[in-house]
Amino acid sequence: QLQLRESGPGLVKPSETLSLTCTVSGGSISSSSYYWGWIRQPPGKGLEWIGTIYYSGSTYYSPSLKSRVTISIDTSKNQFSLKLSSVTAADTAVYYCARERRGYTYDFDYWGQGTLLTVSS
Amino acid sequence: QSVLTQPPSVSGAPGQRVTISCTGSSSNIGAGYDVHWYQQLPGTAPKLLIYTNNNRPSGVPDRFSGSKSGTSASLAVTGLQAEDEADYYCQSYDSSLSGSVFGGGTKLTVL
């Protein structure tokens, strides 16, 4: 069974860079059939797609976050990562990693349990 | 403001049928992109409930069904049960954004 798990610091200061990692188990991140995405959910609010990466390194970012986001992949560790720069309180959210069936159904069929990231001094 | 529009809340008594709408535009649902639905129980991650408009992943009860027409889609829940109380989100692909868009979410309350 595929499993995804997010990991990160939990607390980041304003203006700093947020870094999160998603570790995939039970399947290969190098599969040519799937992409890997980040989605976030501010407290009490809805879901927002942040970006997606393919095993080859191709990336797709939300236009609203593109200037601050970098998503990378490490196939040797079966991990992919998110960096979000110049964070503010508005970036406080639960961050989820998920498997995306881009080019096929464009849905997210497996999700991590999420990690809460708080931006505060 | 979400790209896809959903009602903030719906409710129904046990055993009843409820529907949740999801309205998009010509760059997403209206462009022919599929609609997917997620169920988020309190304190948990979203779970794929319906994919490609009307398909249920293994393990999802057939009480849940989806449909799509034009620039809109709907999720129907029949035979409401207390365990269906959750937030529901629609999602599609948007060609102008080259990425996924979500609805704002609908809270389903079982009375």
Side-chain angles (χ1 to χ4, degrees):
Chain A
Q1 177 79 346
L2 189 76
Q3 293 187 329
L4 296 88
R5 176 169 290 187
E6 306 87 352
S7 58
L11 180 66
V12 178
K13 290 182 169 56
S15 80
E16 294 188 343
T17 296
L18 165 172
S19 294
L20 297 174
T21 296
C22 181
T23 301
V24 178
S25 59
S28 175
I29 204 170
S30 299
S31 169
S32 60
S33 300
Y34 304 107
Y35 292 66
W36 307 92
W38 288 97
I39 298 110
R40 71 179 182 179
Q41 183 173 36
K45 297 187 178 181
L47 301 167
E48 178 184 24
W49 173 70
I50 299 170
T52 294
I53 191 164
Y54 194 45
Y55 79 96
S56 64
S58 297
T59 52
Y60 309 84
Y61 298 137
S62 168
S64 65
L65 295 169
K66 187 173 184 176
S67 63
R68 300 193 291 131
V69 171
T70 303
I71 298 176
S72 58
I73 194 163
D74 187 337
T75 55
S76 67
K77 294 182 179 179
N78 232 32
Q79 295 176 335
F80 62 107
S81 299
L82 167 71
K83 290 188 186 300
L84 181 64
S85 64
S86 305
V87 298
T88 70
D91 295 310
T92 293
V94 175
Y95 285 75
Y96 296 100
C97 59
R99 187 176 81 172
E100 181 180 355
R101 297 192 286 189
R102 178 173 281 251
Y104 172 43
T105 55
Y106 289 94
D107 61 19
F108 297 92
D109 61 344
Y110 284 91
W111 294 63
Q113 84 275 14
T115 186
L116 175 62
L117 193 120
T118 301
V119 178
S120 175
S121 55
Chain B
Q1 195 80 338
S2 301
V3 174
L4 304 180
T5 301
Q6 297 180 235
S9 63
V10 297
S11 62
Q16 286 190 333
R17 176 181 187 270
V18 296
T19 61
I20 299 172
S21 62
C22 174
T23 302
S25 67
S26 59
S27 61
N28 42 68
I29 300 175
Y33 293 105
D34 296 320
V35 178
H36 320 291
W37 292 90
Y38 300 85
Q39 178 191 59
Q40 186 175 34
L41 297 170
T44 69
K47 165 193 163 186
L48 183 62
L49 188 70
I50 297 285
Y51 67 96
T52 322
N53 308 318
N54 57 9
N55 294 279
R56 285 175 285 106
S58 175
V60 174
D62 60 5
R63 301 185 295 102
F64 295 92
S65 62
S67 63
K68 174 192 160 186
S69 178
T71 59
S72 297
S74 290
L75 172 71
V77 187
T78 58
L80 265 180
Q81 298 181 6
E83 66 205 50
D84 299 332
E85 193 159 284
D87 293 323
Y88 293 83
Y89 293 90
C90 61
Q91 177 243 324
S92 186
Y93 180 84
D94 192 291
S95 58
S96 65
L97 303 175
S98 295
S100 289
V101 288
F102 288 92
T106 299
K107 182 174 181 58
L108 169 60
T109 300
V110 181
L111 301 171

